[in-house]
Amino acid sequence: WNCSCVERSDCSLLRHSPLLALIWIATGLTLSGPHFSVALSTGEKLLELSGHTQKITAIITFPPLEACEEKNQLILTASADKTVIVWDCDTGRQVRKVSCFHSTVKCLTILQRLDVWLSGGSDLCVWNRRLDLLCKTSHLSDTGVSALIEIPKNCVVAAVGKELIIFKLVAPTEGSLEWNILEVKRLLDHQDNILSLVNVNDLSFVSGSHVGELIVWDVSDWTVQACERNFWTQLDTQQEIKLCQKPNDISIHHFTWDEENVFAAVGRGLYVYNLQMKRVIACQKTAHDSSVLHIARLPNRQLISCSEDGSVRIWELREKQQLAAEPLPTGFFNMWGFGRVNKQASQPVKKQQENTTPCSLELIGDLIGHSSSVEMFLHFEDHGLVTCSADHLIILWKNGERESGLRSLKLFQKLEENGDLYLTV
């Protein structure tokens, strides 16, 4: 089985045990598609849910409204079998299956304030918590909606091929008791199919395409705030350009962000785009040997990435002056308990790169454990990292330094309870 998607869960199990964190993993089998939950404190499999007959394409949690008496959290899963299944998070019970779709549902999103959810396939459908179909668009595309995000004013943005389509949801009013979804605008600035679409803050959202276009959009009037189409120019030599002949080498597979920057997985590389400067401020054009599939931001200006080559790597964004003045840390590897120091971390920065980017992405950690493509991961600040791969493994990585401290604390507490702890003045 191959992991196709992962989703955090904040179900009531978390409230019963402060040491228990829960992760839902869709294994994406081609013949049957079970998915299950894992306790991060122990790695124990808690529940296994089976119901789909083909690959799972999307998974999302649907938390209850605060004012609602029913407090059960729901899990929604979509599949290539043209169905969406709703599960009870606490029991793993299948609540209902929706099978009226005409194509694969590729994406799901929740509009919590309106207490509805949307499914994106060849058309866009709006559903309530009871799984009633409230409204839908006309047929959009045979290839379907590839990504979907919520923006203000009851609007959503759908990526359909090379277009971004803005839809507005109209809730029932005194004059009309029916829901409606209206097409408001089409954004046609991309030159190829859009692969990535995310909200980066309250003012902007970002889209990335198959040919490496990054466009920053204004979330209010949907105009282009900035655009980056020059990832090719980050290559140092003509020889490196020749090595990047495959289209996937410049495809933007995934985004993450912080208050200042957008981090983009572009082909085999990682790029840091500063929203204020409107330019790339750091890059690692060969961060992995194959396409980077997923990235996430860690605290302290750090970034984690995984790739088709089976590697999981941790990077740190550093200013060039800081890079020259301070040695690179090596203690991070011992913190996680796995890995080795990579020579790339201590290599001098090329003069040409110093002239083009004010910062550098430096490799500070390699998590070695997988033997095949690492599809996705989730980082839990207090519980570590979960990676899932095509090698049939799900690995829970712990922060070694933190775990050692917790073990020492428990030991002292146990000694104190038994009266074996004597403090010397």
Side-chain angles (χ1 to χ4, degrees):
W1 44 267
N2 298 333
C3 172
S4 55
C5 46
V6 291
E7 174 71 21
R8 297 175 190 266
S9 176
D10 298 318
C11 75
S12 59
L13 289 175
L14 292 177
R15 297 193 291 271
H16 299 323
S17 172
L19 296 178
L20 180 66
L22 198 66
I23 179 174
W24 289 89
I25 300 173
T27 58
L29 294 173
T30 54
L31 295 179
S32 61
H35 48 292
F36 49 89
S37 60
V38 176
L40 288 185
S41 58
T42 63
E44 177 189 2
K45 183 170 70 174
L46 302 178
L47 296 169
E48 183 169 333
L49 288 67
S50 298
H52 289 295
T53 59
Q54 294 189 39
K55 180 179 178 179
I56 296 168
T57 54
I59 180 170
I60 196 167
T61 57
F62 196 176
L65 289 175
E66 293 184 1
C68 183
E69 294 182 2
E70 181 65 40
K71 295 301 180 182
N72 283 357
Q73 178 167 260
L74 302 177
I75 303 290
L76 278 64
T77 57
S79 168
D81 61 12
K82 303 179 183 179
T83 66
V84 170
I85 298 180
V86 181
W87 313 83
D88 185 291
C89 177
D90 290 323
T91 64
R93 179 178 61 87
Q94 180 175 316
V95 178
R96 187 175 170 186
K97 177 186 286 190
V98 182
S99 55
C100 59
F101 300 100
H102 300 294
S103 64
T104 298
V105 175
K106 296 182 178 180
C107 52
L108 300 168
T109 194
I110 303 294
L111 273 60
Q112 184 70 18
R113 188 174 59 82
L114 298 175
D115 199 33
V116 298
W117 59 278
L118 284 76
S119 61
S122 58
D123 50 22
L124 191 59
C125 301
V126 182
W127 309 80
N128 63 15
R129 188 178 292 271
R130 298 186 301 273
L131 274 65
D132 299 320
L133 179 60
L134 303 177
C135 57
K136 61 184 293 187
T137 66
S138 58
H139 180 84
L140 297 174
S141 167
D142 291 336
T143 57
V145 178
S146 59
L148 190 63
I149 61 170
E150 180 185 5
I151 58 174
K153 302 176 183 177
N154 291 351
C155 292
V156 295
V157 185
V160 182
K162 63 179 69 175
E163 298 181 354
L164 291 174
I165 308 178
I166 312 293
F167 292 98
K168 183 177 181 64
L169 271 69
V170 181
T173 62
E174 293 181 1
S176 174
L177 300 178
E178 295 184 353
W179 287 77
N180 201 359
I181 182 167
L182 305 175
E183 181 179 324
V184 179
K185 189 173 183 179
R186 294 196 177 215
L187 310 179
L188 309 176
D189 296 76
H190 277 290
Q191 299 175 10
D192 209 325
N193 289 341
I194 298 164
L195 304 180
S196 304
L197 179 65
V198 295
N199 285 303
V200 294
N201 52 44
D202 294 335
L203 303 175
S204 309
F205 64 92
V206 177
S207 57
S209 79
H210 186 61
V211 293
E213 306 161 298
L214 181 153
I215 300 181
V216 183
W217 305 88
D218 187 287
V219 78
S220 299
D221 59 13
W222 318 315
T223 56
V224 175
Q225 289 183 331
C227 182
E228 176 63 59
R229 290 189 172 97
N230 298 317
F231 291 115
W232 284 93
T233 63
Q234 307 294 333
L235 300 175
D236 290 333
T237 64
Q238 188 65 30
Q239 180 63 28
E240 289 182 73
I241 294 177
K242 290 180 180 179
L243 293 176
C244 290
Q245 295 298 321
K246 298 179 181 179
N248 281 344
D249 283 336
I250 56 170
S251 296
I252 300 180
H253 295 286
H254 196 239
F255 287 123
T256 189
W257 63 93
D258 60 17
E259 296 79 6
E260 302 174 354
N261 307 302
V262 174
F263 301 84
V266 185
R268 297 176 295 162
L270 298 171
Y271 292 79
V272 184
Y273 185 86
N274 187 274
L275 293 170
Q276 184 174 2
M277 299 171 63
K278 298 183 179 181
R279 58 167 293 197
V280 173
I281 61 169
C283 68
Q284 273 287 352
K285 52 189 173 296
T286 53
H288 293 267
D289 295 330
S290 299
S291 294
V292 181
L293 300 180
H294 195 75
I295 57 176
R297 185 176 60 87
L298 300 180
N300 303 319
R301 293 169 67 87
Q302 292 176 356
L303 184 73
I304 186 167
S305 59
C306 66
S307 168
E308 287 180 344
D309 62 16
S311 61
V312 181
R313 291 178 174 171
I314 302 171
W315 310 83
E316 186 170 83
L317 180 63
R318 292 174 156 239
E319 295 181 0
K320 291 291 177 64
Q321 306 92 293
Q322 178 186 3
L323 184 65
E326 299 179 8
L328 290 172
T330 58
F332 191 91
F333 301 94
N334 294 329
M335 288 172 56
W336 286 89
F338 293 87
R340 54 179 168 76
V341 177
N342 193 301
K343 293 182 179 179
Q344 183 177 354
S346 59
Q347 289 179 349
V349 181
K350 297 181 180 180
K351 292 183 178 179
Q352 182 175 351
Q353 192 176 359
E354 288 181 347
N355 295 332
T356 57
T357 55
C359 300
S360 176
L361 273 176
E362 292 302 309
L363 179 64
I364 62 170
D366 240 333
L367 304 184
I368 300 173
H370 288 293
S371 60
S372 188
S373 175
V374 181
E375 307 292 333
M376 292 187 75
F377 59 82
L378 278 180
H379 174 254
F380 295 82
E381 186 172 350
D382 295 329
H383 297 276
L385 182 77
V386 180
T387 56
C388 50
S389 166
D391 61 8
H392 301 195
L393 292 179
I394 296 169
I395 299 179
L396 279 62
W397 309 84
K398 293 289 187 177
N399 184 320
E401 185 176 287
R402 182 180 183 277
E403 294 299 312
S404 177
L406 290 174
R407 286 193 295 269
S408 298
L409 180 61
K410 289 181 180 179
L411 175 61
F412 281 112
Q413 290 174 342
K414 189 68 174 178
L415 291 173
E416 186 177 16
E417 291 173 2
N418 295 338
D420 297 329
L421 183 64
Y422 301 98
L423 298 178
T424 302
V425 180

